[in-house]
Amino acid sequence: MSAAVAPVPALVPSRRAWLTDLPVLAVAAVWGASYLAAKGITTTHTVIAALVLRFSIVLPVLVVAGWRRLRALTGAQLRGAGLLGLVLSGIFLLETYGVVHTSATNAGLIISLTMIFTPLAEAAVTRVRPSASFVAAAGLSVAGVVLLTQGGGFTSPSAGDLLMLLAALARTVHILAMARIKAVRSADSLSLTTIQLGSAVAVFAVLVALPGTGASPWSVAADFGPREWAGLVFLSVFCTLFAFFVQMWSVRRTSPSRVSLLLGTEPLWAAAVGIGLGGERLGALGVAGAVLVLAGTAWGRRSVDEADRSGTRGASPAPS
């Protein structure tokens, strides 16, 4: 963030805390609903075109809002943010193609494995052994994903399930890259997000111009009816603009850990929206898998938080 985060008082009135928490919970809810929304406006042949439309709507607003800060970025910061944007484009492609080929419920739950993959990848990079409780939580989550993708019986996971798993891994790469590219650490969040989205849109524009990559954005936009336009605006305005600015606002009024915890409810909202509005069904195995995924990610997040508070995270180096 471009400004220092003020210390959070030890005792925050519950009413004031909830006033801060509710917008963050709203972000988690719209992110959870984004999988069903994306599923409703895309097909295999319109994924790239829909991504161009989605971010072309929001990008000009971000550029205008942060023009002064964008002009102040150094060459190294621009290159670092651009590289992150390339990774981000891969995340959006995997997620959107994935949700076309699986249920919105599965998509939201599988992508939550990022919360498990990231500390494991960080441990591998820093050669620091994760705690036993975290490893157990990771195993619980993986077992949950296996059951989740077998909701209709023991069959091979769908292509969409595998794409969402790759998207979770790509999110992990993106998070680690943000932490390890020194140039972007001093860039403000608005400028960093704008350059990343701009880079991603450039990738999508190049891909959509290639033969055999699907319909053009113009033809897709012409075919959209009121329902599709509503879904596109929802993804652009609420899942991107609203979500970004709420995060900026909330971390200045509460702790990053509290924000992360609230945003971690995203898979719950994805399942609720997919089942309640999308008419999706998990089956007995799927329900058991969903419970294991949610329990494993919550346990893993708690293990990491406890290690951070106690200062023991990273105390046990892994063998060479």
Side-chain angles (χ1 to χ4, degrees):
M1 292 297 168
S2 55
V5 179
V8 181
L11 295 176
V12 180
S14 58
R15 183 177 179 183
R16 181 181 174 186
W18 271 109
L19 289 176
T20 304
D21 290 347
L22 284 176
V24 183
L25 281 173
V27 171
V30 298
W31 278 354
S34 68
Y35 301 102
L36 187 62
K39 194 174 182 66
I41 67 170
T42 54
T43 66
T44 302
H45 300 292
T46 63
V47 164
I48 302 176
L51 287 171
V52 171
L53 292 172
R54 172 182 174 179
F55 294 109
S56 294
I57 291 174
V58 72
L59 192 59
V61 179
L62 292 176
V63 170
V64 171
W67 179 244
R68 288 185 179 180
R69 295 176 181 178
L70 282 171
R71 293 178 62 187
L73 291 177
T74 66
Q77 289 173 331
L78 287 170
R79 289 190 295 272
L83 178 61
L84 290 172
L86 295 180
V87 180
L88 191 65
S89 67
I91 295 171
F92 282 121
L93 286 168
L94 288 167
E95 286 184 355
T96 311
Y97 274 113
V99 80
V100 168
H101 295 290
T102 190
S103 68
T105 303
N106 275 25
L109 290 166
I110 293 173
I111 203 68
S112 70
L113 288 178
T114 303
M115 289 183 283
I116 296 294
F117 291 157
T118 301
L120 288 176
E122 185 181 12
V125 170
T126 60
R127 301 183 66 79
V128 172
R129 182 183 295 123
S131 67
S133 62
F134 183 84
V135 172
L140 193 66
S141 296
V142 172
V145 168
V146 172
L147 288 178
L148 177 66
T149 58
Q150 312 305 313
F154 283 96
T155 59
S156 299
S158 71
D161 294 332
L162 295 176
L163 288 172
M164 293 308 301
L165 192 61
L166 290 174
L169 291 170
R171 279 196 184 189
T172 297
V173 171
H174 186 257
I175 293 169
L176 292 183
M178 287 188 69
R180 297 182 71 83
I181 298 177
K182 294 181 180 179
V184 302
R185 295 179 188 172
S186 57
D188 72 280
S189 298
L190 178 59
S191 299
L192 186 61
T193 300
T194 303
I195 297 300
Q196 287 187 80
L197 290 181
S199 300
V201 169
V203 171
F204 303 146
V206 170
L207 289 177
V208 81
L210 298 176
T213 54
S216 70
W218 331 115
S219 63
V220 170
D223 290 339
F224 272 1
R227 180 175 176 273
E228 288 77 16
W229 276 111
L232 184 66
V233 170
F234 173 77
L235 290 170
S236 296
V237 175
F238 290 96
C239 300
T240 306
L241 269 182
F242 170 73
F244 171 73
F245 285 109
V246 165
Q247 287 182 86
M248 286 189 64
W249 171 82
S250 62
V251 295
R252 286 170 169 79
R253 288 162 176 78
T254 185
S255 69
S257 295
R258 189 178 182 90
V259 172
S260 175
L261 181 65
L262 294 169
L263 292 179
T265 63
E266 176 188 346
L268 289 173
W269 295 105
V273 171
I275 294 171
L277 298 181
E280 298 175 353
R281 296 293 181 267
L282 287 176
L285 286 176
V287 170
V291 170
L292 290 182
V293 169
L294 295 173
T297 51
W299 186 11
R301 191 187 310 116
R302 191 182 311 114
S303 297
V304 171
D305 289 343
E306 288 174 354
D308 286 341
R309 285 195 298 268
S310 65
T312 59
R313 187 179 178 191
S316 178
S320 300

